[in-house]
Amino acid sequence: MTAANSWFLVITGYAILLAWPVSTLALVSFAVRYMASHRRVVVDRSLAKGDGTPEHFWIIVPALNEEVVVGNTVNAALALGGPGGTLARVLVVDDGSDDRTPDVLAAINHPRLMVLRRELPEARKGKGEALNAAYRYIAQITAEAGVRPDKVVIGIIDGDGQGSSNILLEVSRMMRDPQIGAVQVQVRIRNRNKLLGAVQDLEFGAIVNACQSLRDTIDTVGLGGNGQFTRLSALLALGDAPWSACLVEDLELGLRMHLDGVGIRYTPRATVTQQAVVDLRRLTRQRTRWAQGNLQCARYLRRLAASKRIGVTSLVEMFHYLVSPWINALVTVALLGGVLVGAAGLALGHPMPYLRSWQDLATSGEVWFAVTFFPGFIWALVHRYRLRDESLRRLLTAAVAYPVFLLLGLVATYRAIARQASGRQSWAKTERLAEEPISPAPMQVALAA
């Protein structure tokens, strides 16, 4: 290997390593400025474009063996109110539960609660199919009542989810712009008293929030599986089954809406909380499913590139979102492989041109260590500055654990590739944790249809 090639490898390696902290600082800088100004601009712009304010709200709760959490989720959803005193109807899709979920739901006697029970063989074909069944039910009721579908909003709150009290009001503010067909609210973690929960809340409350805020400015907001709100009219435009069998049906729905020219907004002013996965094995399984779903959505890259409705900046961000996990996995292997080869050369007395001594290896390790831990500490400070609902000590502890969390993500990416290549699609359900019960919602009656 020539000296020129050696220097090229060294420079390339350090450039790749430094790209992460540099991009983190850039994203943090944007997020702080966004919080200070852009949100007000977006809301003002929405208010100036006409009145598409929703008048009817449905909350769909997909439930498969959710006996320990579904009671709290339903009671919290029934307590939500929108503009002008409008109240949400709650439709629980019991997707063939064989635990006490039906009994828990039957014990909630409320006029705004409906339960759609799916039996085998129709049941248990994935969350997307359960959501489609609920959507068709709501569409039928809306049509029979003669209600305009653009005035009806359907929200998705998972079996362990609980929306903030202002969630419908904030969604309504964003949707006053008739061009906005969907809104994604911020996701937070409730059980963050444990380390894994604190790291996941650092991810959602700081990192994902900053990424979604950036996408909000360039019209590339992605929909999440929890806390997504869509106009019924936007779903009807996608046919009889807006949600697919993709393992991340929410990501695919967002891509289809962007291709259809539907405006999607993100708001950090309202939240939906969910439970963290506090078992490493189950967390790896969850992230593997997400990564495999991301891989499945890569088939949209060609359509995105050919679309005349998506600008160049938006297209670049979508490509980055879909492809970057796989690039990161390959680059990590390449960097680690280079280090191992260099170390082996030193041990055998044949040093590589880019790694001539053990001191060079130690220096590289120090740089790698600093680069790996730096972003987590920055995001911990952002979380503390922005949300102020968690101690700095706990956040810094989560920052220390964050690199291990990222390593778990890489493992999940490799597993996802193997599962996709072998055609495996089945998944075990994420286990829920029992919580203190929430008081039932008052017995008000919703507006018709």
Side-chain angles (χ1 to χ4, degrees), residues 271-344:
T271 61
V272 60
T273 63
Q274 63 186 38
Q275 289 187 347
V277 182
V278 294
D279 177 85
L280 272 177
R281 182 176 59 85
R282 294 189 179 97
L283 181 60
T284 303
R285 185 174 63 200
Q286 179 200 64
R287 298 308 167 107
T288 301
R289 174 172 61 84
W290 291 2
Q292 188 175 354
N294 184 285
L295 181 60
Q296 291 172 344
C297 286
R299 67 179 183 271
Y300 283 92
L301 289 174
R302 180 177 297 181
R303 291 177 59 188
L304 290 169
S307 176
K308 296 181 179 180
R309 289 172 167 165
I310 300 175
V312 175
T313 304
S314 300
L315 182 63
V316 170
E317 168 57 23
M318 289 181 181
F319 268 62
H320 173 264
Y321 181 74
L322 290 173
V323 175
S324 60
W326 315 105
I327 294 178
N328 291 340
L330 294 174
V331 168
T332 301
V333 169
L335 290 175
L336 185 59
V339 171
L340 292 177
V341 169

